[in-house]
PDB file of all heavy atoms in Angstrom:
ATOM      1  N   VAL A 244      -5.365  23.034 -47.680  1.00  0.00           N
ATOM      2  CA  VAL A 244      -5.373  24.363 -48.295  1.00  0.00           C
ATOM      3  C   VAL A 244      -6.009  24.300 -49.680  1.00  0.00           C
ATOM      4  O   VAL A 244      -6.843  25.145 -50.025  1.00  0.00           O
ATOM      5  CB  VAL A 244      -3.944  24.940 -48.349  1.00  0.00           C
ATOM      6  CG1 VAL A 244      -3.853  26.128 -49.279  1.00  0.00           C
ATOM      7  CG2 VAL A 244      -3.480  25.316 -46.951  1.00  0.00           C
ATOM      8  N   LEU A 245      -5.643  23.316 -50.476  1.00  0.00           N
ATOM      9  CA  LEU A 245      -6.249  23.196 -51.814  1.00  0.00           C
ATOM     10  C   LEU A 245      -7.755  22.979 -51.700  1.00  0.00           C
ATOM     11  O   LEU A 245      -8.529  23.563 -52.467  1.00  0.00           O
ATOM     12  CB  LEU A 245      -5.600  22.061 -52.604  1.00  0.00           C
ATOM     13  CG  LEU A 245      -4.191  22.344 -53.103  1.00  0.00           C
ATOM     14  CD1 LEU A 245      -3.557  21.080 -53.679  1.00  0.00           C
ATOM     15  CD2 LEU A 245      -4.189  23.447 -54.145  1.00  0.00           C
ATOM     16  N   LEU A 248      -9.264  26.439 -50.672  1.00  0.00           N
ATOM     17  CA  LEU A 248      -9.176  27.502 -51.670  1.00  0.00           C
ATOM     18  C   LEU A 248      -9.957  27.183 -52.942  1.00  0.00           C
ATOM     19  O   LEU A 248     -10.511  28.082 -53.567  1.00  0.00           O
ATOM     20  CB  LEU A 248      -7.709  27.784 -52.010  1.00  0.00           C
ATOM     21  CG  LEU A 248      -6.859  28.331 -50.876  1.00  0.00           C
ATOM     22  CD1 LEU A 248      -5.406  28.453 -51.309  1.00  0.00           C
ATOM     23  CD2 LEU A 248      -7.395  29.685 -50.412  1.00  0.00           C
ATOM     24  N   ILE A 249      -9.954  25.930 -53.331  1.00  0.00           N
ATOM     25  CA  ILE A 249     -10.678  25.524 -54.543  1.00  0.00           C
ATOM     26  C   ILE A 249     -11.424  24.218 -54.262  1.00  0.00           C
ATOM     27  O   ILE A 249     -11.055  23.150 -54.745  1.00  0.00           O
ATOM     28  CB  ILE A 249      -9.718  25.392 -55.753  1.00  0.00           C
ATOM     29  CG1 ILE A 249      -8.405  24.704 -55.368  1.00  0.00           C
ATOM     30  CG2 ILE A 249      -9.459  26.723 -56.400  1.00  0.00           C
ATOM     31  CD1 ILE A 249      -7.448  24.496 -56.526  1.00  0.00           C
ATOM     32  N   GLU A 252     -12.585  21.841 -57.154  1.00  0.00           N
ATOM     33  CA  GLU A 252     -11.596  21.513 -58.183  1.00  0.00           C
ATOM     34  C   GLU A 252     -11.363  20.006 -58.217  1.00  0.00           C
ATOM     35  O   GLU A 252     -11.180  19.366 -57.190  1.00  0.00           O
ATOM     36  CB  GLU A 252     -10.267  22.217 -57.893  1.00  0.00           C
ATOM     37  CG  GLU A 252      -9.232  22.025 -58.953  1.00  0.00           C
ATOM     38  CD  GLU A 252      -9.448  22.896 -60.170  1.00  0.00           C
ATOM     39  OE1 GLU A 252     -10.193  23.893 -60.085  1.00  0.00           O
ATOM     40  OE2 GLU A 252      -8.868  22.585 -61.214  1.00  0.00           O
ATOM     41  N   VAL A 308       4.623  25.701 -55.805  1.00  0.00           N
ATOM     42  CA  VAL A 308       3.344  26.405 -55.877  1.00  0.00           C
ATOM     43  C   VAL A 308       2.487  26.031 -54.663  1.00  0.00           C
ATOM     44  O   VAL A 308       1.857  26.888 -54.044  1.00  0.00           O
ATOM     45  CB  VAL A 308       2.597  26.106 -57.195  1.00  0.00           C
ATOM     46  CG1 VAL A 308       1.240  26.794 -57.214  1.00  0.00           C
ATOM     47  CG2 VAL A 308       3.426  26.518 -58.391  1.00  0.00           C
ATOM     48  N   ASP A 311       3.656  27.926 -51.748  1.00  0.00           N
ATOM     49  CA  ASP A 311       3.160  29.305 -51.792  1.00  0.00           C
ATOM     50  C   ASP A 311       1.693  29.376 -51.375  1.00  0.00           C
ATOM     51  O   ASP A 311       1.279  30.321 -50.696  1.00  0.00           O
ATOM     52  CB  ASP A 311       3.340  29.900 -53.188  1.00  0.00           C
ATOM     53  CG  ASP A 311       4.654  30.634 -53.354  1.00  0.00           C
ATOM     54  OD1 ASP A 311       5.502  30.565 -52.446  1.00  0.00           O
ATOM     55  OD2 ASP A 311       4.835  31.282 -54.401  1.00  0.00           O
ATOM     56  N   LEU A 312       0.897  28.397 -51.786  1.00  0.00           N
ATOM     57  CA  LEU A 312      -0.515  28.386 -51.412  1.00  0.00           C
ATOM     58  C   LEU A 312      -0.680  28.192 -49.903  1.00  0.00           C
ATOM     59  O   LEU A 312      -1.542  28.816 -49.278  1.00  0.00           O
ATOM     60  CB  LEU A 312      -1.272  27.300 -52.186  1.00  0.00           C
ATOM     61  CG  LEU A 312      -1.420  27.570 -53.680  1.00  0.00           C
ATOM     62  CD1 LEU A 312      -1.976  26.348 -54.400  1.00  0.00           C
ATOM     63  CD2 LEU A 312      -2.298  28.790 -53.927  1.00  0.00           C
ATOM     64  N   TYR A 315       0.225  31.500 -48.368  1.00  0.00           N
ATOM     65  CA  TYR A 315      -0.875  32.439 -48.551  1.00  0.00           C
ATOM     66  C   TYR A 315      -1.988  32.169 -47.540  1.00  0.00           C
ATOM     67  O   TYR A 315      -2.514  33.077 -46.903  1.00  0.00           O
ATOM     68  CB  TYR A 315      -1.448  32.343 -49.972  1.00  0.00           C
ATOM     69  CG  TYR A 315      -2.807  32.973 -50.061  1.00  0.00           C
ATOM     70  CD1 TYR A 315      -2.945  34.353 -50.146  1.00  0.00           C
ATOM     71  CD2 TYR A 315      -3.963  32.193 -50.017  1.00  0.00           C
ATOM     72  CE1 TYR A 315      -4.192  34.949 -50.182  1.00  0.00           C
ATOM     73  CE2 TYR A 315      -5.212  32.784 -50.052  1.00  0.00           C
ATOM     74  CZ  TYR A 315      -5.330  34.152 -50.130  1.00  0.00           C
ATOM     75  OH  TYR A 315      -6.563  34.733 -50.155  1.00  0.00           O
ATOM     76  N   PHE A 316      -2.351  30.900 -47.422  1.00  0.00           N
ATOM     77  CA  PHE A 316      -3.473  30.519 -46.563  1.00  0.00           C
ATOM     78  C   PHE A 316      -3.233  30.950 -45.121  1.00  0.00           C
ATOM     79  O   PHE A 316      -4.135  31.426 -44.445  1.00  0.00           O
ATOM     80  CB  PHE A 316      -3.690  29.007 -46.646  1.00  0.00           C
ATOM     81  CG  PHE A 316      -4.973  28.551 -46.017  1.00  0.00           C
ATOM     82  CD1 PHE A 316      -6.185  28.735 -46.666  1.00  0.00           C
ATOM     83  CD2 PHE A 316      -4.976  27.928 -44.781  1.00  0.00           C
ATOM     84  CE1 PHE A 316      -7.368  28.312 -46.100  1.00  0.00           C
ATOM     85  CE2 PHE A 316      -6.151  27.497 -44.202  1.00  0.00           C
ATOM     86  CZ  PHE A 316      -7.353  27.689 -44.858  1.00  0.00           C
ATOM     87  N   GLY A 319      -1.280  35.220 -45.836  1.00  0.00           N
ATOM     88  CA  GLY A 319      -1.753  36.234 -46.768  1.00  0.00           C
ATOM     89  C   GLY A 319      -0.882  36.342 -48.007  1.00  0.00           C
ATOM     90  O   GLY A 319       0.143  35.681 -48.135  1.00  0.00           O
ATOM     91  N   GLU A 320      -1.321  37.179 -48.927  1.00  0.00           N
ATOM     92  CA  GLU A 320      -0.631  37.290 -50.218  1.00  0.00           C
ATOM     93  C   GLU A 320       0.804  37.769 -50.082  1.00  0.00           C
ATOM     94  O   GLU A 320       1.651  37.430 -50.897  1.00  0.00           O
ATOM     95  CB  GLU A 320      -1.423  38.185 -51.174  1.00  0.00           C
ATOM     96  CG  GLU A 320      -2.681  37.501 -51.668  1.00  0.00           C
ATOM     97  CD  GLU A 320      -3.453  38.296 -52.702  1.00  0.00           C
ATOM     98  OE1 GLU A 320      -3.138  39.477 -52.935  1.00  0.00           O
ATOM     99  OE2 GLU A 320      -4.392  37.721 -53.266  1.00  0.00           O
ATOM    100  N   ASP A 321       1.110  38.528 -49.044  1.00  0.00           N
ATOM    101  CA  ASP A 321       2.486  39.006 -48.857  1.00  0.00           C
ATOM    102  C   ASP A 321       3.455  37.875 -48.513  1.00  0.00           C
ATOM    103  O   ASP A 321       4.665  38.036 -48.641  1.00  0.00           O
ATOM    104  CB  ASP A 321       2.546  40.066 -47.763  1.00  0.00           C
ATOM    105  CG  ASP A 321       1.847  41.362 -48.170  1.00  0.00           C
ATOM    106  OD1 ASP A 321       1.699  41.588 -49.395  1.00  0.00           O
ATOM    107  OD2 ASP A 321       1.454  42.125 -47.274  1.00  0.00           O
ATOM    108  N   MET A 323       3.531  34.886 -49.996  1.00  0.00           N
ATOM    109  CA  MET A 323       3.880  34.067 -51.164  1.00  0.00           C
ATOM    110  C   MET A 323       5.186  34.562 -51.763  1.00  0.00           C
ATOM    111  O   MET A 323       5.454  35.755 -51.813  1.00  0.00           O
ATOM    112  CB  MET A 323       2.765  34.108 -52.209  1.00  0.00           C
ATOM    113  CG  MET A 323       1.513  33.398 -51.772  1.00  0.00           C
ATOM    114  SD  MET A 323       0.299  33.165 -53.106  1.00  0.00           S
ATOM    115  CE  MET A 323      -0.097  34.832 -53.544  1.00  0.00           C
ATOM    116  N   ARG A 325       6.409  33.623 -55.001  1.00  0.00           N
ATOM    117  CA  ARG A 325       6.490  33.716 -56.465  1.00  0.00           C
ATOM    118  C   ARG A 325       5.293  34.375 -57.142  1.00  0.00           C
ATOM    119  O   ARG A 325       5.338  34.612 -58.340  1.00  0.00           O
ATOM    120  CB  ARG A 325       6.658  32.313 -57.053  1.00  0.00           C
ATOM    121  CG  ARG A 325       7.957  31.670 -56.690  1.00  0.00           C
ATOM    122  CD  ARG A 325       8.107  30.252 -57.198  1.00  0.00           C
ATOM    123  NE  ARG A 325       7.363  29.977 -58.394  1.00  0.00           N
ATOM    124  CZ  ARG A 325       7.047  28.749 -58.798  1.00  0.00           C
ATOM    125  NH1 ARG A 325       7.404  27.717 -58.115  1.00  0.00           N
ATOM    126  NH2 ARG A 325       6.369  28.563 -59.900  1.00  0.00           N
ATOM    127  N   PHE A 326       4.227  34.621 -56.416  1.00  0.00           N
ATOM    128  CA  PHE A 326       3.016  35.126 -57.056  1.00  0.00           C
ATOM    129  C   PHE A 326       2.516  36.373 -56.346  1.00  0.00           C
ATOM    130  O   PHE A 326       2.691  36.541 -55.152  1.00  0.00           O
ATOM    131  CB  PHE A 326       1.926  34.045 -57.050  1.00  0.00           C
ATOM    132  CG  PHE A 326       2.378  32.774 -57.720  1.00  0.00           C
ATOM    133  CD1 PHE A 326       2.844  31.707 -56.967  1.00  0.00           C
ATOM    134  CD2 PHE A 326       2.386  32.664 -59.088  1.00  0.00           C
ATOM    135  CE1 PHE A 326       3.288  30.546 -57.570  1.00  0.00           C
ATOM    136  CE2 PHE A 326       2.828  31.517 -59.703  1.00  0.00           C
ATOM    137  CZ  PHE A 326       3.287  30.454 -58.944  1.00  0.00           C
ATOM    138  N   ASP A 327       1.870  37.244 -57.106  1.00  0.00           N
ATOM    139  CA  ASP A 327       1.331  38.476 -56.539  1.00  0.00           C
ATOM    140  C   ASP A 327      -0.076  38.287 -55.977  1.00  0.00           C
ATOM    141  O   ASP A 327      -0.475  39.000 -55.065  1.00  0.00           O
ATOM    142  CB  ASP A 327       1.310  39.585 -57.593  1.00  0.00           C
ATOM    143  CG  ASP A 327       2.710  40.016 -57.992  1.00  0.00           C
ATOM    144  OD1 ASP A 327       3.619  39.970 -57.128  1.00  0.00           O
ATOM    145  OD2 ASP A 327       2.907  40.374 -59.168  1.00  0.00           O
ATOM    146  N   THR A 328      -0.830  37.327 -56.546  1.00  0.00           N
ATOM    147  CA  THR A 328      -2.199  37.108 -56.093  1.00  0.00           C
ATOM    148  C   THR A 328      -2.472  35.615 -55.969  1.00  0.00           C
ATOM    149  O   THR A 328      -1.810  34.789 -56.586  1.00  0.00           O
ATOM    150  CB  THR A 328      -3.233  37.698 -57.076  1.00  0.00           C
ATOM    151  OG1 THR A 328      -3.184  36.951 -58.302  1.00  0.00           O
ATOM    152  CG2 THR A 328      -2.972  39.181 -57.345  1.00  0.00           C
ATOM    153  N   ILE A 329      -3.487  35.299 -55.183  1.00  0.00           N
ATOM    154  CA  ILE A 329      -3.890  33.906 -55.034  1.00  0.00           C
ATOM    155  C   ILE A 329      -4.410  33.351 -56.356  1.00  0.00           C
ATOM    156  O   ILE A 329      -4.205  32.180 -56.674  1.00  0.00           O
ATOM    157  CB  ILE A 329      -4.937  33.751 -53.899  1.00  0.00           C
ATOM    158  CG1 ILE A 329      -5.220  32.278 -53.624  1.00  0.00           C
ATOM    159  CG2 ILE A 329      -6.220  34.470 -54.227  1.00  0.00           C
ATOM    160  CD1 ILE A 329      -4.028  31.500 -53.152  1.00  0.00           C
ATOM    161  N   LYS A 330      -5.058  34.198 -57.140  1.00  0.00           N
ATOM    162  CA  LYS A 330      -5.576  33.762 -58.440  1.00  0.00           C
ATOM    163  C   LYS A 330      -4.424  33.287 -59.338  1.00  0.00           C
ATOM    164  O   LYS A 330      -4.533  32.264 -60.005  1.00  0.00           O
ATOM    165  CB  LYS A 330      -6.345  34.913 -59.099  1.00  0.00           C
ATOM    166  CG  LYS A 330      -7.047  34.546 -60.362  1.00  0.00           C
ATOM    167  CD  LYS A 330      -7.863  35.720 -60.877  1.00  0.00           C
ATOM    168  CE  LYS A 330      -8.561  35.339 -62.162  1.00  0.00           C
ATOM    169  NZ  LYS A 330      -9.387  36.424 -62.683  1.00  0.00           N
ATOM    170  N   GLU A 331      -3.308  34.023 -59.334  1.00  0.00           N
ATOM    171  CA  GLU A 331      -2.133  33.621 -60.122  1.00  0.00           C
ATOM    172  C   GLU A 331      -1.568  32.288 -59.629  1.00  0.00           C
ATOM    173  O   GLU A 331      -1.204  31.432 -60.422  1.00  0.00           O
ATOM    174  CB  GLU A 331      -1.033  34.677 -60.022  1.00  0.00           C
ATOM    175  CG  GLU A 331      -1.278  35.940 -60.788  1.00  0.00           C
ATOM    176  CD  GLU A 331      -0.158  36.954 -60.559  1.00  0.00           C
ATOM    177  OE1 GLU A 331       0.925  36.587 -60.041  1.00  0.00           O
ATOM    178  OE2 GLU A 331      -0.364  38.132 -60.893  1.00  0.00           O
ATOM    179  N   ALA A 332      -1.492  32.125 -58.313  1.00  0.00           N
ATOM    180  CA  ALA A 332      -0.935  30.893 -57.745  1.00  0.00           C
ATOM    181  C   ALA A 332      -1.813  29.686 -58.078  1.00  0.00           C
ATOM    182  O   ALA A 332      -1.299  28.624 -58.452  1.00  0.00           O
ATOM    183  CB  ALA A 332      -0.770  31.037 -56.235  1.00  0.00           C
ATOM    184  N   LEU A 333      -3.116  29.838 -57.952  1.00  0.00           N
ATOM    185  CA  LEU A 333      -4.022  28.729 -58.269  1.00  0.00           C
ATOM    186  C   LEU A 333      -3.958  28.363 -59.753  1.00  0.00           C
ATOM    187  O   LEU A 333      -3.947  27.185 -60.119  1.00  0.00           O
ATOM    188  CB  LEU A 333      -5.456  29.075 -57.861  1.00  0.00           C
ATOM    189  CG  LEU A 333      -5.692  29.146 -56.352  1.00  0.00           C
ATOM    190  CD1 LEU A 333      -7.071  29.718 -56.055  1.00  0.00           C
ATOM    191  CD2 LEU A 333      -5.510  27.785 -55.715  1.00  0.00           C
ATOM    192  N   ALA A 334      -3.885  29.372 -60.597  1.00  0.00           N
ATOM    193  CA  ALA A 334      -3.755  29.112 -62.039  1.00  0.00           C
ATOM    194  C   ALA A 334      -2.435  28.398 -62.335  1.00  0.00           C
ATOM    195  O   ALA A 334      -2.387  27.465 -63.137  1.00  0.00           O
ATOM    196  CB  ALA A 334      -3.846  30.416 -62.831  1.00  0.00           C
ATOM    197  N   ALA A 335      -1.376  28.815 -61.651  1.00  0.00           N
ATOM    198  CA  ALA A 335      -0.069  28.182 -61.852  1.00  0.00           C
ATOM    199  C   ALA A 335      -0.095  26.721 -61.406  1.00  0.00           C
ATOM    200  O   ALA A 335       0.507  25.857 -62.060  1.00  0.00           O
ATOM    201  CB  ALA A 335       1.015  28.949 -61.101  1.00  0.00           C
ATOM    202  N   TYR A 336      -0.799  26.420 -60.315  1.00  0.00           N
ATOM    203  CA  TYR A 336      -0.873  25.023 -59.871  1.00  0.00           C
ATOM    204  C   TYR A 336      -1.621  24.177 -60.900  1.00  0.00           C
ATOM    205  O   TYR A 336      -1.169  23.098 -61.272  1.00  0.00           O
ATOM    206  CB  TYR A 336      -1.524  24.895 -58.492  1.00  0.00           C
ATOM    207  CG  TYR A 336      -1.450  23.468 -58.004  1.00  0.00           C
ATOM    208  CD1 TYR A 336      -0.226  22.913 -57.636  1.00  0.00           C
ATOM    209  CD2 TYR A 336      -2.570  22.657 -57.953  1.00  0.00           C
ATOM    210  CE1 TYR A 336      -0.122  21.599 -57.236  1.00  0.00           C
ATOM    211  CE2 TYR A 336      -2.489  21.344 -57.549  1.00  0.00           C
ATOM    212  CZ  TYR A 336      -1.261  20.815 -57.188  1.00  0.00           C
ATOM    213  OH  TYR A 336      -1.167  19.502 -56.803  1.00  0.00           O
ATOM    214  N   ARG A 337      -2.756  24.673 -61.358  1.00  0.00           N
ATOM    215  CA  ARG A 337      -3.507  23.939 -62.388  1.00  0.00           C
ATOM    216  C   ARG A 337      -2.637  23.680 -63.618  1.00  0.00           C
ATOM    217  O   ARG A 337      -2.630  22.582 -64.158  1.00  0.00           O
ATOM    218  CB  ARG A 337      -4.755  24.718 -62.783  1.00  0.00           C
ATOM    219  CG  ARG A 337      -5.873  24.650 -61.803  1.00  0.00           C
ATOM    220  CD  ARG A 337      -7.121  25.361 -62.353  1.00  0.00           C
ATOM    221  NE  ARG A 337      -8.011  25.713 -61.282  1.00  0.00           N
ATOM    222  CZ  ARG A 337      -8.095  26.920 -60.719  1.00  0.00           C
ATOM    223  NH1 ARG A 337      -7.345  27.909 -61.140  1.00  0.00           N
ATOM    224  NH2 ARG A 337      -8.937  27.141 -59.733  1.00  0.00           N
ATOM    225  N   GLU A 338      -1.923  24.719 -64.036  1.00  0.00           N
ATOM    226  CA  GLU A 338      -1.071  24.598 -65.225  1.00  0.00           C
ATOM    227  C   GLU A 338       0.136  23.695 -64.992  1.00  0.00           C
ATOM    228  O   GLU A 338       0.673  23.128 -65.942  1.00  0.00           O
ATOM    229  CB  GLU A 338      -0.597  25.980 -65.669  1.00  0.00           C
ATOM    230  CG  GLU A 338      -1.704  26.831 -66.245  1.00  0.00           C
ATOM    231  CD  GLU A 338      -1.257  28.264 -66.521  1.00  0.00           C
ATOM    232  OE1 GLU A 338      -0.038  28.498 -66.648  1.00  0.00           O
ATOM    233  OE2 GLU A 338      -2.134  29.138 -66.590  1.00  0.00           O
ATOM    234  N   SER A 339       0.551  23.547 -63.740  1.00  0.00           N
ATOM    235  CA  SER A 339       1.734  22.741 -63.461  1.00  0.00           C
ATOM    236  C   SER A 339       1.470  21.240 -63.551  1.00  0.00           C
ATOM    237  O   SER A 339       2.398  20.458 -63.690  1.00  0.00           O
ATOM    238  CB  SER A 339       2.304  23.082 -62.078  1.00  0.00           C
ATOM    239  OG  SER A 339       1.610  22.432 -61.039  1.00  0.00           O
TER     240      SER A 339
END
Side-chain angles (χ1 to χ4, degrees):
V244 165
L245 287 171
L248 295 175
I249 42 178
E252 185 78 18
V308 177
D311 268 8
L312 291 171
Y315 163 79
F316 191 76
E320 288 184 350
D321 292 338
M323 291 191 298
R325 294 177 28 200
F326 303 98
D327 293 328
T328 67
I329 187 62
K330 186 176 180 179
E331 286 177 15
L333 291 171
Y336 186 70
R337 284 185 200 99
E338 290 173 21
S339 81

